[in-house]
Amino acid sequence: MKRLKGRFFYGAQMQQTEELCAAAKNAVREAGGIILEHWHKPRTIRFKGRIDLVTATDLAVEEFLRNALKRILPDAVFLGEETSPDASLGKWAWILDPVDGTTNFAHGLPFVATSLGLWHDGKVVAGIVNNPVMGECFWAVRGAGAWRQCGGSDAAPVRLGVTTTGSLADALVATGFPYSVAEESGDVLAWLKNSLEQCRGVRRYGAAALDLAYLAAGHYDIFYERGLKPWDTAAGWLLVEEAGGRVTAFDGRSAYAFDPLGILATNGVLHGAAAGLLAV
Ligand code: IPD
Ligand code: CA
Ligand code: CA
């Protein structure tokens, strides 16, 4: 009886999370319209650091979603890269990167996405990564799998699964470089050297949320990066786990907990070997 009751509550909670995810997905898709509207117009760019940009589009998308998400879950904390990066996560929180891949956006490259995670009681329970330029929307709900829709919201969703690649020699690796790369280029180059020498290839597309989504979708076998923020990884972390992959800190063993020192995400099979690439 106790187990059945527990299952009932688990089921009810998953249904609530699925409903929240569906509502948030609609809002994120609508915000994708802002990105598309701005895509062919001149960019208005400001510098947050030497190479860290913010455009008027990042701000417009964040403003739109801050309001839309407030209507969906009024009591949730809003942690947004551009307006509330230091907000503390409460029982419920939205974790938003309005435009992941801002440098790509500024240069007219299509690897850009809005990344949104829903945090509840100490974990990410839903995640959405939407690339309106390429017409790809990824999402996951904890316990209900990871999914991708290509084209509009009427297209059939396809369930995602990570690769089964078992050797570094056959593995395609994705990574990114922190904005502080000039200060830590030694480590960054050492990890890259190992990856280039031991794996099939390395890609650096410039949008960490998409890197994680592509790992979940089986395009990459390994992703690592130091210096990422919660808004870069919240949604993608869940996508990878729900697609059967593994996410940890760089040592390959410690739980990942938005640690800025590094995220290592793999298909699971290669996790130990991938951690070895980073042990320099
Ligand atoms: C950046 C991208 C990039 C990664 C950087 C991130 P932003 O996010 O995800 O791939 O290498 O570390 O900060 O600034 O475009 O939102
Ligand atoms: Ca980002
Ligand atoms: Ca961003």
Side-chain angles (χ1 to χ4, degrees):
M1 180 61 197
K2 212 175 160 201
R3 256 185 82 206
L4 274 179
K5 201 175 162 198
R7 265 197 210 160
F8 172 77
F9 281 118
Y10 184 65
Q13 188 169 320
M14 192 187 301
Q15 191 183 339
Q16 181 194 23
T17 310
E18 284 189 313
E19 284 168 11
L20 288 168
C21 183
K25 186 149 41 87
N26 286 339
V28 168
R29 279 186 181 281
E30 208 177 326
I34 301 175
I35 296 176
L36 289 179
E37 194 190 308
H38 293 198
W39 185 250
H40 293 291
K41 296 188 178 159
R43 311 295 195 252
T44 311
I45 299 170
R46 187 164 60 71
F47 284 81
K48 293 197 278 187
R50 183 182 69 88
I51 52 172
D52 190 358
L53 317 177
V54 58
T55 72
T57 311
D58 300 62
L59 301 175
V61 170
E62 183 150 327
E63 172 69 12
F64 174 86
L65 282 173
R66 172 190 274 277
N67 293 328
L69 297 171
K70 186 91 196 153
R71 288 192 291 275
I72 294 171
L73 198 57
D75 292 336
V77 167
F78 179 80
L79 173 64
E81 177 182 6
E82 308 302 345
T83 58
S84 49
D86 299 321
S88 306
L89 300 174
K91 188 175 171 64
W92 288 96
W94 297 109
I95 305 175
L96 176 73
D97 188 337
V99 179
D100 185 45
T102 295
T103 306
N104 287 340
F105 180 80
H107 289 257
L109 290 166
F111 298 100
V112 296
T114 298
S115 172
L116 177 68
L118 175 60
W119 176 264
H120 178 51
D121 271 347
K123 40 186 188 303
V124 183
V125 293
I128 299 160
V129 176
N130 182 48
N131 178 345
V133 182
M134 296 175 78
E136 283 189 312
C137 184
F138 303 83
W139 72 91
V141 169
R142 187 169 289 280
W147 303 83
R148 166 162 61 183
Q149 232 170 359
C150 294
S153 52
D154 293 341
V158 174
R159 191 163 185 160
L160 304 180
V162 294
T163 64
T164 54
T165 307
S167 74
L168 288 179
D170 295 327
L172 188 59
V173 179
T175 189
F177 308 131
Y179 287 120
S180 55
V181 66
E183 290 83 59
E184 43 194 314
S185 57
D187 282 347
V188 170
L189 291 173
W191 302 324
L192 192 57
K193 182 173 190 291
N194 285 347
S195 303
L196 288 167
E197 287 176 358
Q198 296 178 51
C199 302
R200 178 176 291 173
V202 178
R203 298 290 180 270
R204 194 286 197 243
Y205 279 1
L210 278 175
D211 290 334
L212 287 161
Y214 289 161
L215 176 64
H219 302 304
Y220 297 138
D221 304 291
I222 296 169
F223 169 72
Y224 70 84
E225 186 166 346
R226 173 183 278 181
L228 290 173
K229 301 287 180 21
W231 49 81
D232 298 308
T233 58
W237 174 10
L238 184 64
L239 280 166
V240 171
E241 290 189 340
E242 284 297 320
R246 187 160 174 216
V247 179
T248 65
F250 263 24
D251 65 6
R253 287 183 306 277
S254 317
Y256 175 65
F258 293 137
D259 186 343
L261 286 180
I263 181 171
L264 172 63
T266 72
N267 66 357
V269 189
L270 285 171
H271 211 78
L277 298 171
L278 309 175
V280 294

